[in-house]
Amino acid sequence: MRSAVATDSLLKQRLAHPTGATDVARVTLGDAVLDAVLGGGIERAALHECFARDPDQSAAVTGFVALIARRACVGGQAVVRVSEDKGDRRGGNLYGAGLAELGVDPADMVAVHAPDAMAALRASADIVKCSGVGAVVLELWGRAPLYDLTASRRLTMAAARSGVVMLVVRIDAAPRASAARTRWSAASAPSRALAANAPGYPAFDVELLRHRGGVADLKARLEWNRDTGSFASLPGGVPAVAVVGTDQSRRAARCASQRSTGRRRRSALHPD
């Protein structure tokens, strides 16, 4: 993973000559049923928030969002992560070898270290305007009062114009009014053992706290497959309900419910 201080010229070069700009409207998670419930995935040219349920889950939520950002990138696009010094001191920085183990090329991650929340917000607002970036991840710790409804609207409008995914990670903070298209929480989950009881893939318990498209009551346990670069649902999640949506989203919700029921039946027929 490159430091922004050491690679300022490289970042400018990549932004000036984008290699993978895309007009794909949504970023899929990789699980067909979950993506269908979400209307085809999360919107690309929009702002999305993800909260850590407690500070001890900062690594889990940072990893989960980094993987979504990775799926948003095409054709060599970079992910730019903007963090403030306070957060770096408390939660540490991304570890290149760890990213590689997840199937994320550290060379495609650009780190911007800001002295405070104001500088981090300003940097994010500038970077998300650049269509050559695949995703911008802004990580804020604590209340971060400067990240208010107005600030989130600025980021949202910039993302809408550029088509870049804007992902905001909130750690040790409570949700409040914002322009986020979706709001999630994430935490680490037990992995599913592989053959011969080998350690399984990384797993996350995620909950959709808000969705402007009308999806509600979505809780899922997802595992990340580094070989396919995608998420897959594990047993234990709660099917989503499309409160206000199209016939397609309602069919997807019914499909999710049937799939969950089928898993329970298979588990009863083939107990461990």
Side-chain angles (χ1 to χ4, degrees):
M1 182 176 62
R2 304 185 181 99
S3 166
V5 175
T7 62
D8 181 65
S9 61
L10 176 61
L11 177 58
K12 289 180 180 178
Q13 184 181 39
R14 292 186 71 168
L15 296 184
H17 303 285
T19 59
T22 178
D23 58 358
V24 178
R26 292 182 177 271
V27 177
T28 64
L29 299 181
D31 183 85
V33 173
L34 181 58
D35 285 330
V37 170
L38 294 172
I42 64 171
E43 290 187 28
R44 180 176 296 276
L47 183 149
H48 307 272
E49 296 175 343
C50 192
F51 285 74
R53 293 170 179 168
D54 60 67
D56 291 339
Q57 293 292 342
S58 62
V61 71
T62 298
F64 176 65
V65 170
L67 296 174
I68 293 177
R70 185 258 195 207
R71 287 190 60 83
C73 296
V74 296
Q77 288 179 318
V79 175
V80 181
R81 175 180 179 263
V82 183
S83 60
E84 53 181 331
D85 285 347
K86 177 176 68 174
D88 292 339
R89 289 194 301 270
R90 295 184 62 182
N93 294 312
L94 295 179
Y95 181 47
L99 290 171
E101 282 296 314
L102 292 173
V104 178
D105 187 350
D108 290 333
M109 299 286 291
V110 179
V112 176
H113 303 286
D116 51 37
M118 179 178 290
L121 282 165
R122 287 176 175 172
S124 299
D126 286 339
I127 298 167
V128 77
K129 296 175 184 177
C130 304
S131 59
V133 172
V136 178
V137 179
L138 169 62
E139 184 173 305
L140 296 171
W141 281 69
R143 290 183 61 249
L146 292 177
Y147 176 71
D148 55 12
L149 180 58
T150 300
S152 68
R153 281 175 174 165
R154 290 196 186 102
L155 293 172
T156 295
M157 289 188 292
R161 287 191 292 268
S162 66
V164 174
V165 182
M166 182 71 226
L167 302 167
V168 179
V169 176
R170 301 299 316 280
I171 300 171
D172 196 18
R176 60 173 182 262
S178 76
R181 184 67 182 174
T182 65
R183 179 179 295 148
W184 303 76
S185 69
S188 59
S191 62
R192 179 176 58 173
L194 301 178
N197 205 32
Y201 296 119
F204 305 87
D205 280 332
V206 300
E207 181 177 359
L208 183 59
L209 305 175
R210 178 189 185 186
H211 189 285
R212 288 181 179 269
V215 179
D217 300 325
L218 189 157
K219 296 180 181 178
R221 177 162 291 179
L222 303 176
E223 69 175 9
W224 172 258
N225 187 323
R226 60 161 292 171
D227 297 322
T228 62
S230 61
F231 292 99
S233 296
L234 294 176
V238 177
V241 176
V243 179
V244 179
T246 63
D247 290 340
Q248 178 183 5
S249 63
R250 284 190 285 270
R251 286 196 298 270
R254 288 196 297 270
C255 181
S257 179
Q258 293 166 359
R259 179 175 173 181
S260 177
T261 301
R263 281 174 174 161
R264 289 195 295 269
R265 287 174 178 170
R266 287 194 295 272
S267 297
L269 293 172
H270 302 285
D272 294 335

